[in-house]
Amino acid sequence: MNTKTAIVTGGSRGLGRDMALNLAKEGINIILSYHSNIEKANEVVKDIEALGQKAIAIKYDANNVESARQFIDKVGQHLKQVNGSPNFDFLINNAGTGTYNTIADTTEAQFDDMLNIHLKSIYFLTQAALSHINEGGKIINVSSGLSRFSFPGMSAYAIMKGAIEVFTRYLAKELGDRKITANVVAPGAIATDFAGGVNRDNEEKRNVIASITALGRVGEAEDIGGVVAFLCSDKASWINGQRIEVSGGMLV
């Protein structure tokens, strides 16, 4: 049986790192993107290789549409060289960052950053990838609990995540004839360095999150990767066009 390959954008740290490792544990080779920290990316590559899978890190600037296209070109060239085909099986659109500003204080530049990083680049990276995704492949887009519930200061970020959820349903509809599924994973508050690491380091906010979460704690990166691996498995082949929130029951 041929080993399958997954692309994980933003795979050098946080949620993306855990997604990549969980996929590797399932016998999947990994191509991960990084923005600037090649050292961290190479650490993840070594961790994946220690699990017996192949891995490579390729630079990608999620704030630049042309970088998205270049990233897919480099992925195809690499896979053609090592596998004889530029195709792969799974695309996990995870790369991103956050901005914390009220609507009154959000600048056009900050809004455009969120638009480019969380919507425009993902749309066109996925577009560039479509011809390389094998029949029966899977696309996982990462959204946020903030597309369902609202916290002041996150409007620009959350708007783009809401748009990604619509985009995912359209992918599911348009790619069905190729047996490619598309789904959304929407994490709740996770203790990573996202948005300055506030969910990891700010004890007051952590207590608030725990108080509004049914399971009584802040999420960890390790809570998310296994869900992505499941959605890329044959066990999830009939799940399509869905949003799966992984928040421990925030504001249920």
Side-chain angles (χ1 to χ4, degrees), residues 11 18 28 36 49 58 62 76 78 87 100 104 145 164 166 171 177 185 190 211 222 232:
D18 196 70
I28 297 168
S36 58
E49 290 173 342
I58 299 175
H78 169 75
N87 292 355
Y100 183 86
I164 282 296
V166 175
L171 286 170
D177 60 345
V185 171
I190 307 294
S211 72
E222 292 77 14
C232 289

Side-chain angles (χ1 to χ4, degrees), residues 29 39 61 84 99 108 128 135 153 180 217 237 241:
N29 293 334
E39 290 82 10
D61 179 1
T99 185
E108 184 177 0
E135 181 167 325
I180 294 171
R217 65 172 175 84
S237 60

Side-chain angles (χ1 to χ4, degrees), residues 3 5 7 11-12 23 46 63 68 74 99 105 111 131 136 142 157 159 185 201 227 245:
T3 300
T5 299
I7 292 175
S12 64
L23 289 163
K46 290 179 181 177
N63 201 12
K74 290 176 182 176
T99 185
D105 294 334
F111 186 94
S131 62
V142 178
Y157 170 83
I159 287 167
V185 171
D201 303 328
V227 179
E245 185 170 305

Side-chain angles (χ1 to χ4, degrees), residues 6-33 44-45 47-48 51 53-55 92 94 224-226 228-229:
I7 292 175
V8 182
T9 66
S12 64
R13 58 191 175 88
L15 299 185
R17 176 183 181 275
D18 196 70
M19 293 171 191
L21 292 174
N22 271 275
L23 289 163
K25 289 174 184 176
E26 297 300 319
I28 297 168
N29 293 334
I30 305 296
I31 297 174
L32 61 93
S33 83
V44 180
V45 167
D47 289 341
I48 292 167
L51 294 169
Q53 298 307 128
K54 296 177 181 178
I92 294 88
N94 164 74
I224 310 300
V228 171

Side-chain angles (χ1 to χ4, degrees), residues 31-197:
I31 297 174
L32 61 93
S33 83
Y34 68 97
H35 179 249
S36 58
N37 195 333
I38 183 62
E39 290 82 10
K40 284 290 184 184
N42 284 337
E43 286 178 12
V44 180
V45 167
K46 290 179 181 177
D47 289 341
I48 292 167
E49 290 173 342
L51 294 169
Q53 298 307 128
K54 296 177 181 178
I56 186 174
I58 299 175
K59 187 176 177 63
Y60 162 49
D61 179 1
N63 201 12
N64 184 316
V65 169
E66 189 54 39
S67 178
R69 297 186 179 109
Q70 292 170 356
F71 173 73
I72 293 297
D73 285 345
K74 290 176 182 176
V75 166
Q77 292 166 12
H78 169 75
L79 291 174
K80 178 77 171 176
Q81 183 177 7
V82 298
N83 294 338
S85 167
N87 292 355
F88 55 90
D89 303 280
F90 311 120
L91 174 62
I92 294 88
N93 284 311
N94 164 74
T97 185
T99 185
Y100 183 86
N101 292 92
T102 64
I103 295 169
D105 294 334
T106 298
T107 66
E108 184 177 0
Q110 290 167 335
F111 186 94
D112 285 348
D113 280 348
M114 292 298 97
L115 176 67
N116 290 334
I117 292 168
H118 290 288
L119 181 57
K120 191 174 180 180
S121 286
I122 289 173
Y123 189 102
F124 287 104
L125 185 150
T126 304
Q127 181 190 73
L130 289 181
S131 62
H132 296 304
I133 300 176
N134 287 321
E135 181 167 325
K138 301 174 189 294
I139 299 171
I140 312 295
N141 291 325
V142 178
S143 179
S144 170
L146 291 164
S147 66
R148 177 178 67 84
F149 48 75
S150 303
F151 286 103
M154 298 300 293
S155 64
Y157 170 83
I159 287 167
M160 308 313 164
K161 290 302 191 182
I164 282 296
E165 295 181 10
V166 175
F167 175 51
T168 303
R169 294 196 295 271
Y170 273 82
L171 286 170
K173 190 74 168 179
E174 294 187 12
L175 301 178
D177 60 345
R178 294 172 57 193
K179 305 298 185 286
I180 294 171
T181 64
N183 292 290
V184 167
V185 171
I190 307 294
T192 67
D193 58 4
F194 178 82

Side-chain angles (χ1 to χ4, degrees), residues 221-235:
E222 292 77 14
D223 294 318
I224 310 300
V227 179
V228 171
F230 164 70
L231 288 173
C232 289
S233 74
D234 291 341
K235 295 176 182 179

